[in-house]
Amino acid sequence: MKPSLFAYLLLRAAIGLAVTVTVYALWPHWWVAVPLGMAAAIWVAWEGSHAVLEGLDALRSRKPGEPVTQNSETAFVEFEDLTATMEMRETQQQRQLSAITEAQRNLESLLDSMQDGVVAVDAAGRITWTNEPMRKLAAVRKGHALVQTIREPEVLECMRIALEENSVAERASVPFAAGRSFAVEAAPMAEGGAVMVLREVTRVEQMERAQKEFVANVSHELRTPLTAIRGYVEILVDDVYVDEAHDGPAPEFLRGILKNCARMERLTEDLLVLANVESRERELEPVPVEVGILVQEVVDATSGLFKEDVELHMGHIAKVQVLADMDAVVQVLSNLIENAIAYGRGSDGTVVILAAETDTETVEGMPAMVTFSVQDFGMGIAHDHRERIFERFYRADKTRSRESGGTGLGLSIAKHLVEEHGGKIWVESDLGKGSRFCFTLPQVTGAAAEAGVGDSVEKTAGI
């Protein structure tokens, strides 16, 4: 049975006390008892510390599962619990370390198997980790500053925003690595620093470019035969109406052919416009334009759409100038008004409200904006359709779209043209109450805007 450390120390203390008392009994002088007591205390302390150190050395030198020691003086029972606790903690730490190492190895293997390049930096912009695709893409090294290995300004700007502004930064397409294009996304990390992901979009851009070129070429090629068909059908229609004796279904068939020719012409025209806008072949030329004059141009361009049961009402028209390409903005508003007429019919006909108001809240450092809106009181748009309503060929109500003969491209064209002006477009709608399409254009401020905003705006606002 192993001795107790407490008993060991108690025995040494008893021996020291006995020696001190014996010597003091033989020589009862204080100058003998005091040094002797101090010497006994020092001896007991030395014996205790020596015993503890030997026991700890034995624990450090032993292997797991072996006895504590073969020396009975240092094999104290208190070390049994200490040994068991240390073994348990050592085992737990080894398991945790093994689990962490395995998880880190799996994570690195997973990230290395990605096609996207990933790089992480600390708060100072030094590289702390990168995966294999990123190392192949650029000669990045751990511990080096990111700016030393990557020179593309847009990539570095994304990382700067993530580090300094603590927000996510994205770029849809950045030229990188010998003619290849990458989508860049940088995001801050909670513990400091940031992580950036580079996803190659070269192939996607090539496919989109080929698709746009195909659509543009096909649209061009379709215009010539459609024009010829329309012309021949119009001649046949005139001949049928001139020949009063002619009977049969021919007039109805010819009107059907003519109607579908017009629909195909609108589709090809919209496809051409969309292809030009997306490819940016058509360069916009924004100039200061009075809002009232812009609205008047739209009213003139869409006057043929208003019938007996269709009414256009004017809301508030701001007496300011906007920076806009006249033809492009007229096309945007015309598309929105045409959609409002096609889908905004209520029980008492169709009422469309056109308005242009200045924004009361502006973001510091950003130009003031003017919000144009086209409102109808039709059936409205369901919430799950609002996010996709501006996609090409997307239709919220396919049945009514077929009846109205729309192309499904008007809102997509409007979205591209508005964003080219630096604005944004959105829709506000309640089912059964109608829809309100809005978009913004930058306002012209300063002395240049005050000059020339006179009687023409007042006359236009009172349409």
Side-chain angles (χ1 to χ4, degrees), residues 13 47 76 103 116 120 132 145 174 177 182 207 224 241 256 319 330 339 461:
E47 281 287 326
F76 301 114
D116 303 336
E132 183 64 24
V174 175
F182 288 81
M207 294 176 63
T224 301
Y241 280 110
K319 297 181 181 180
V330 168
N339 282 349

Side-chain angles (χ1 to χ4, degrees), residues 1-3 75 77:
M1 183 176 181
K2 293 183 174 63
V77 67

Side-chain angles (χ1 to χ4, degrees), residues 204-223:
V204 175
E205 289 185 344
Q206 291 174 349
M207 294 176 63
E208 289 182 350
R209 193 179 305 113
Q211 180 184 16
K212 292 172 184 177
E213 291 176 355
F214 172 77
V215 171
N217 293 335
V218 169
S219 301
H220 274 293
E221 294 298 328
L222 285 175
R223 294 180 72 179

Side-chain angles (χ1 to χ4, degrees), residues 88-411:
M88 181 178 66
R89 292 186 177 179
E90 182 181 5
T91 303
Q92 291 177 350
Q93 291 177 354
Q94 289 179 350
R95 289 177 179 175
Q96 292 175 356
L97 181 60
S98 299
I100 293 173
T101 304
E102 184 67 21
Q104 183 177 3
R105 188 182 301 112
N106 292 337
L107 179 60
E108 290 181 355
S109 176
L110 175 64
L111 293 175
D112 284 339
S113 64
M114 294 174 57
Q115 299 298 317
D116 303 336
V118 182
V119 59
V121 300
D122 58 16
R126 293 185 297 269
I127 299 173
T128 58
W129 187 87
T130 180
N131 67 344
E132 183 64 24
M134 190 66 194
R135 290 191 290 270
K136 292 180 179 180
L137 189 62
V140 293
R141 294 183 180 179
K142 186 177 180 180
H144 288 198
L146 185 68
V147 70
Q148 294 178 345
T149 55
I150 296 180
R151 303 295 183 181
E152 282 69 17
E154 293 187 72
V155 176
L156 297 177
E157 178 65 12
C158 287
M159 186 62 79
R160 184 197 67 78
I161 293 174
L163 289 174
E164 298 180 5
E165 302 180 12
N166 199 33
S167 60
V168 178
E170 298 178 345
R171 296 293 185 273
S173 178
V174 175
F176 192 85
R180 298 161 66 186
S181 298
F182 288 81
V184 182
E185 181 176 355
M189 294 187 293
E191 64 274 12
V195 61
M196 182 170 62
V197 179
L198 279 73
R199 180 179 298 105
E200 186 170 5
V201 294
T202 307
R203 179 61 177 168
V204 175
E205 289 185 344
Q206 291 174 349
M207 294 176 63
E208 289 182 350
R209 193 179 305 113
Q211 180 184 16
K212 292 172 184 177
E213 291 176 355
F214 172 77
V215 171
N217 293 335
V218 169
S219 301
H220 274 293
E221 294 298 328
L222 285 175
R223 294 180 72 179
T224 301
L226 281 175
T227 303
I229 293 172
R230 183 185 180 93
Y232 292 144
V233 172
E234 288 177 346
I235 294 174
L236 291 175
V237 169
D238 292 339
D239 290 343
V240 167
Y241 280 110
V242 169
D243 187 4
E244 297 180 355
H246 185 81
D247 56 358
E252 182 180 352
F253 291 165
L254 291 175
R255 285 193 297 270
I257 295 173
L258 198 59
K259 179 180 178 180
N260 283 280
C261 281
R263 183 176 180 180
M264 290 186 67
E265 284 180 341
R266 288 198 305 272
L267 176 59
T268 54
E269 187 65 28
D270 286 347
L271 285 171
L272 281 173
V273 172
L274 184 61
N276 290 334
V277 170
E278 289 182 339
S279 62
R280 297 188 178 180
E281 293 181 1
R282 174 186 174 184
E283 293 292 336
L284 299 183
E285 298 180 359
V287 296
V289 182
E290 296 177 15
V291 172
I293 296 177
L294 192 57
V295 169
Q296 183 63 59
E297 289 289 331
V298 174
V299 172
D300 294 341
T302 58
S303 59
L305 300 175
F306 303 116
K307 304 175 183 178
E308 295 180 358
D309 58 345
V310 179
E311 299 179 7
L312 177 64
H313 294 177
M314 286 295 155
H316 176 72
I317 305 297
K319 297 181 181 180
V320 295
Q321 289 183 337
V322 291
L323 196 62
D325 184 296
M326 176 75 79
D327 294 336
V329 176
V330 168
Q331 184 173 8
V332 172
L333 285 170
S334 298
N335 287 347
L336 296 181
I337 291 174
E338 186 175 356
N339 282 349
I341 294 174
Y343 303 106
R345 180 174 297 278
S347 57
D348 299 328
T350 303
V351 176
V352 180
I353 299 178
L354 174 61
E357 301 174 308
T358 55
D359 287 351
T360 56
E361 296 182 2
T362 57
V363 180
E364 184 178 356
M366 299 296 291
M369 308 297 282
V370 175
T371 301
F372 292 81
S373 63
V374 176
Q375 184 176 4
D376 64 68
F377 300 91
M379 62 184 299
I381 303 172
H383 185 271
D384 54 345
H385 293 299
R386 294 174 200 168
E387 294 296 328
R388 301 188 59 190
I389 198 70
F390 295 99
E391 295 180 7
R392 288 178 289 179
F393 299 108
Y394 187 82
R395 300 174 185 271
D397 188 345
K398 297 180 175 57
T399 302
R400 298 191 65 178
S401 297
R402 286 192 292 267
E403 293 175 357
S404 62
T407 63
L409 295 173
L411 291 179

Side-chain angles (χ1 to χ4, degrees), residues 4-38:
S4 171
L5 178 62
F6 176 76
Y8 178 86
L9 294 178
L10 185 60
L11 176 62
R12 265 54 179 179
I15 293 173
L17 180 61
V19 171
T20 303
V21 171
T22 302
V23 173
Y24 183 73
L26 295 176
W27 292 283
H29 302 287
W30 67 268
W31 49 268
V32 174
V34 171
L36 189 60
M38 294 179 61

